[in-house]
Amino acid sequence: MAASTEQFVAWVRGAAPYIHAFRGRTFVIAFGGEVAAGARAQSLAYDCNLLAALGIRLVLVHGARPQIEAELARRGLEPRYHNGLRVTDADALECVKAAMAVTRLEVEALLSQGLPNTPMAGSYMRVTGGNFITARPVGVVDGVDYQYTGAVRKIIAEEINADLDQQNVVLISPMGVSPAGEIFNLSMEEVAEAVAVAVKAEKLIYLCDAPGLLDADQRLIDSVTADEAERMFNAGEGLTEDLDLYLPCAIRAVRRGVSRVHLIDHDKDGGLLLEFFTHAGVGTVVSRDPLFRLRDASFEDVAALVALISPMEADGTLVRRGRELLEQEIDRFSVVEHDGVLVGCAALYPFSDDRAAELACLAVTPEYRRAGLGDQLLRRIEQRARNQRLERLFVLTTRTAHWFRERGFSEIGPEALPQKKRELYNYQRRSKVFVKKL
């Protein structure tokens, strides 16, 4: 019980920076009709309610493909597709309108709950919608007339933002009208992309049929740039039915100004909360630029550095450094951020008279120790040492000797340390000493 209590407290405290960062930001969450009608629909409503309660401006875009298919079957009509896009004739359009209306009402009902003993007890989510989308016909492609299948022509962003300003949750069905009053069936993923770009969303989230993008060994790729994602898409690497539709939209969205696009498994209970309020997340983040950023430390990083290295100081992995010492030596540190959160650090202490330097305080949070951040920090420290015309880099360690051996360091005795460092060597700690020629 005590352990679980400590974990809960640690999780809440760890989530606090994200809560502060996301308050007042706009998230666009897109999900297909299978999610709206599936076993996780109730949990999704709970989590959207919590996000809204935390001050996040929510736009929800729902699909209805399975519902449309069922309505077509009920009327004895055959679905028609070309290049993965539905061909919507007049009869199919009637099925689309019926399925969209029912699905929207069901989603609204889920978001309108407030029963006691549920996560939505005492809440009231105002759900709004409107004619926010002006559409145009897709037209004739490859000799196929798509008829009432349309594409987004314009998003009335001012009206969506006006609703969000009133603390409403905006629910959008993927249908649009033309200036002539014609109704068009639109693709959910493209509507979500267009809305996210128009309202300058902080995040666009696609709930999909996969954990995210996977590498060749079927391991989750936690972050990817638009260029890397485009290469994977063109190569057809790891694409599921949903990812084949959503990934091009994700790539375009970040290139058009959306900060982040998240691909999250729609079957992962609490996926939204885990992705947004934990360091590691559970899905794949697509961004225009890499999420990991190496830079020199600044005075503003001191508090984050203390929090990062304290657990490793407590278990003896690192030598204790007080906050005052960190403040004095902050210019010696390099840090690595993940999406604005400090997750790793390393320091360089030069001994110019001996043309040598010490690599110290190399630390990475447990969630990212398999992301290669230690190697990136090591390369940065090595480059800083070379820029100062130093010839040797040494390190003292009690726990990670093998890691340094694998990266070209050789063990030496304490007597080979620069004199000033040798005088400070702690024989009770008995750290092993390794050196690498630069």
Side-chain angles (χ1 to χ4, degrees), residues 253-405:
V254 297
R255 287 175 173 168
R256 295 170 65 194
V258 177
S259 296
R260 304 281 187 268
V261 178
H262 298 254
L263 305 169
I264 302 175
D265 188 349
H266 58 53
D267 288 330
K268 181 71 173 179
D269 189 22
L272 293 174
L273 306 183
L274 292 168
E275 179 71 356
F276 300 142
F277 301 114
T278 64
H279 284 311
V282 293
T284 297
V285 184
V286 183
S287 60
R288 189 182 65 179
D289 301 311
L291 289 188
F292 290 108
R293 177 186 171 217
L294 267 76
R295 60 173 175 81
D296 292 339
S298 67
F299 187 79
E300 289 73 21
D301 296 314
V302 171
L305 278 172
V306 171
L308 172 65
I309 67 178
S310 291
M312 283 170 267
E313 291 176 341
D315 68 14
T317 302
L318 296 178
V319 176
R320 289 190 178 276
R321 287 173 173 80
R323 184 187 180 103
E324 184 177 348
L325 182 61
L326 284 172
E327 291 175 353
Q328 293 172 359
E329 300 180 343
I330 194 65
D331 60 329
R332 301 186 186 278
F333 280 79
S334 295
V335 296
V336 58
E337 296 176 322
H338 178 266
D339 206 10
V341 178
L342 196 148
V343 296
C345 68
L348 178 71
Y349 291 84
F351 295 85
S352 300
D353 292 344
D354 296 270
R355 306 194 62 82
E358 180 186 5
L359 163 64
C361 204
L362 177 60
V364 177
T365 58
E367 297 90 343
Y368 295 102
R369 286 176 185 165
R370 295 186 178 181
L373 301 186
D375 289 295
Q376 294 183 44
L377 285 162
L378 174 59
R379 287 194 293 269
R380 185 178 182 89
I381 293 296
E382 288 176 350
Q383 189 57 52
R384 288 182 64 177
R386 290 189 187 99
N387 291 344
Q388 297 180 39
R389 301 183 182 280
L390 304 176
E391 298 175 353
R392 294 183 301 144
L393 185 67
F394 63 88
V395 62
L396 281 69
T397 181
T398 58
R399 302 285 184 89
T400 55
H402 66 285
W403 192 89
F404 289 103
R405 285 197 185 99

Side-chain angles (χ1 to χ4, degrees), residues 67-211:
Q67 292 85 344
I68 294 170
E69 299 293 301
E71 187 65 19
L72 286 167
R74 190 180 71 81
R75 302 188 187 197
L77 301 172
E78 288 292 327
R80 291 178 58 206
Y81 290 89
H82 181 68
N83 290 335
L85 187 60
R86 186 186 300 279
V87 177
T88 311
D89 59 19
D91 289 336
L93 181 62
E94 293 305 310
C95 297
V96 169
K97 290 192 289 185
M100 288 290 185
V102 170
T103 304
R104 180 187 178 87
L105 284 171
E106 290 175 344
V107 173
E108 283 188 358
L110 287 169
L111 296 172
S112 301
Q113 300 173 80
L115 291 174
N117 302 319
T118 73
M120 295 176 71
S123 69
Y124 175 67
M125 296 178 70
R126 293 188 299 273
V127 181
T128 64
N131 55 338
F132 302 131
I133 305 172
T134 302
R136 60 174 177 80
V138 169
V140 179
V141 181
D142 298 332
V144 176
D145 186 354
Y146 281 91
Q147 301 182 61
Y148 294 101
T149 299
V152 175
R153 180 176 179 181
K154 183 181 179 182
I155 301 293
I156 316 299
E158 315 86 70
E159 296 301 324
I160 297 174
N161 281 320
D163 274 7
L164 293 173
D165 290 342
Q166 297 298 314
Q167 299 182 6
N168 296 323
V169 173
V170 177
L171 178 61
I172 295 178
S173 301
M175 299 188 73
V177 296
S178 72
E182 293 178 297
I183 300 173
F184 289 98
N185 175 32
L186 310 176
S187 73
M188 175 273 291
E189 57 274 11
E190 291 184 3
V191 168
E193 173 201 341
V195 169
V197 171
V199 301
K200 298 180 173 58
E202 176 75 14
K203 295 183 183 294
L204 167 60
I205 302 99
Y206 287 112
L207 302 181
C208 58
D209 60 356

